[in-house]
Amino acid sequence: MSVPPRSAVRLGLTVDIVQKHHQGSGQLTRGVVAGLLTGSATHPHGIKVRLTTGEVGRVQAVVTTDAGG
């Protein structure tokens, strides 16, 4: 699974991030993007963001809502 590029990550989106202290276990944290911290278009470990909760980590996935039922 590849990480999304910076162009796919926008303020207000819900994303799954991995925090620095969870990199070994791969534990993900879900939250809403409050700020983008990585300036480059891509990063091999994910774009670094700050969530509205203040947590910082690298985006592993953009969460999409399934409208189908």
Side-chain angles (χ1 to χ4, degrees):
M1 181 170 106
S2 65
V3 296
R6 191 176 196 276
S7 60
V9 180
R10 297 186 311 277
L11 300 181
L13 282 181
T14 300
V15 296
D16 287 334
I17 66 167
V18 63
Q19 296 178 65
K20 181 90 172 167
H21 59 277
H22 289 142
Q23 285 177 340
S25 68
Q27 179 181 339
L28 298 177
T29 302
R30 185 164 288 184
V32 177
V33 177
L36 298 168
L37 305 178
T38 298
S40 61
T42 61
H43 189 281
H45 300 292
I47 300 301
K48 189 179 279 189
V49 297
R50 175 175 285 113
L51 302 180
T52 55
T53 58
E55 295 165 304
V56 173
R58 294 194 180 273
V59 176
Q60 302 301 295
V62 174
V63 178
T64 58
T65 56
D66 185 14

